[in-house]
Amino acid sequence: MTTLKIHNIETAPEGSKALLENSQKSFGMIPGLHGVLASSPQILKAYQTLHELFTQSSFNEDELTVVWQAINVEHACHYCVPAHTGIAKMMKVDDNITEALRNETPLEDSKLEALRTMTLTIVRNRGNVTEEELNTFYAAGYEEKHVLDIILGLSQKTISNYTNHIANTPVDGAFEKFAWSKENVVS
């Protein structure tokens, strides 16, 4: 059962109507998350802006997926894990990466595993990262800008994951086949 209203263009506050129209144009539908966020034009705009900025960050498609899904799985987001599974498929991310992230198993690529580890370290320790942890991350081939880009991705995911927990946002039809639950993790 949804606990927050899911808006469409007609029911949304005036400040969200154009933002939802942009979602409709971009995705061919209004994702349920966007419909929920529409109750506050400011948070919907913030989410869309953070998404755009994160996709323009220093990360490639595989790395974007690692950051997004590591956070989604850690936060046990029933909506975002399936959505980002579908998005990863659209971005041509290797299914082995997606499945490892969904199942919380180590990634085969050591650089991507270092990214997953740093992302989880930042999330779990609320940004308190040791010098040794940073040096290990840098030794894998990353730089300071990548640490900051993880924080950018975390900002976006905090909005979506927390909103979906409160709203119990139904998974969009296009992503239902990628349904996921923390209880079903195969590790």
Side-chain angles (χ1 to χ4, degrees):
M1 181 165 97
T2 304
T3 59
L4 298 178
K5 183 174 183 155
I6 301 174
H7 288 280
N8 58 41
I9 295 169
E10 292 76 36
T11 65
E14 197 58 43
S16 292
K17 290 182 186 295
L19 297 168
L20 289 180
E21 288 170 357
N22 287 339
S23 295
Q24 178 73 45
K25 288 176 194 166
S26 296
F27 302 105
M29 65 170 191
I30 297 173
L33 170 63
H34 295 208
V36 172
L37 293 174
S39 286
S40 168
Q42 293 77 13
I43 199 168
L44 178 56
K45 183 174 183 174
Y47 178 80
Q48 289 179 343
T49 300
L50 288 169
H51 176 77
E52 181 180 344
L53 292 171
F54 187 60
T55 59
Q56 296 169 1
S57 73
S58 60
F59 293 130
N60 64 33
E61 286 83 359
D62 290 351
E63 293 167 323
L64 291 169
T65 298
V66 168
V67 174
W68 278 326
Q69 284 292 56
I71 296 166
N72 292 335
V73 169
E74 182 67 16
H75 287 165
C77 185
H78 72 283
Y79 179 93
C80 288
V81 173
H84 280 283
T85 299
I87 291 166
K89 285 192 173 296
M90 289 182 252
M91 294 185 341
K92 309 281 190 242
V93 172
D94 186 316
D95 287 342
N96 291 324
I97 293 171
T98 299
E99 287 308 307
L101 292 164
R102 287 171 58 102
N103 292 320
E104 299 182 87
T105 56
L107 294 160
E108 292 177 15
D109 181 294
S110 61
K111 186 174 182 186
L112 292 178
E113 179 59 20
L115 177 60
R116 185 182 77 84
T117 299
M118 178 54 70
T119 300
L120 291 173
T121 298
I122 290 170
V123 171
R124 291 172 179 164
N125 298 324
R126 297 185 179 120
N128 293 298
V129 179
T130 67
E131 187 173 339
E132 181 180 334
E133 290 165 330
L134 285 171
N135 288 336
T136 299
F137 184 61
Y138 299 150
Y142 290 104
E143 302 171 18
E144 288 180 10
K145 69 181 175 185
H146 297 110
V147 173
L148 298 172
D149 285 343
I150 291 170
I151 294 168
L152 175 62
L154 176 57
S155 300
Q156 177 197 0
K157 293 286 69 195
T158 299
I159 290 172
S160 61
N161 295 166
Y162 287 19
T163 297
N164 289 318
H165 289 313
I166 294 168
N168 197 25
T169 313
V171 175
D172 299 310
F175 303 122
E176 285 177 344
K177 63 186 169 193
F178 306 120
W180 177 91
S181 168
K182 190 85 164 174
E183 293 82 41
N184 296 331
V185 168
V186 180
S187 47

